[in-house]
Amino acid sequence: YEEPTIFDVVFIAIIVGLCAGLGLALDRRAGATAPQAAPFLGGGTPDFHAWQRFHFRPYTMTLVFIAFEMEMMFMYPWAVVFVSEGIKALAEMGMFLAILSVGILYGWREGIFRWQ
């Protein structure tokens, strides 16, 4: 590790200054009036505040999808191990499926399988 020399510090300061100056020079909205600063082709004015809470209904369906996906992801390697391990592997997969079933039952209780 070498100590930075004065030339390194001056070089970095010049580069940072040039980047900041270039950014200010290319900022077209700096002197823009209100209509010119409005979003163009990026949407209009928002209908509600950005921090307003809203209910995300597909959330529980996503959790159930992940539960099924994890189940299938571990089923294929388990099938290979089951041949050599036997009843121990069967018990472990039973516990794994029981844990995932809790998530599926939670989703069922929340009503995610009722399509509206």
Side-chain angles (χ1 to χ4, degrees), residues 66-114:
I66 290 173
F68 279 119
E69 198 65 29
M70 293 298 293
E71 178 182 347
M72 287 297 109
M73 188 173 77
F74 286 115
M75 278 288 203
Y76 295 115
W78 172 80
V80 174
V81 173
F82 177 70
V83 173
S84 62
E85 292 293 323
I87 197 76
K88 179 183 171 190
L90 184 65
E92 289 175 354
M93 184 52 73
M95 287 187 293
F96 178 71
L97 292 176
I99 292 169
L100 287 180
S101 297
V102 170
I104 292 168
L105 290 174
Y106 170 75
W108 192 342
R109 188 189 78 188
E110 291 293 315
I112 64 169
F113 298 116
R114 284 183 262 132

Side-chain angles (χ1 to χ4, degrees), residues 21-42:
L22 186 63
L24 289 174
L26 293 178
D27 187 15
R28 295 185 181 143
R29 294 181 296 164
T33 60
Q36 292 171 337
F40 177 72
L41 294 179

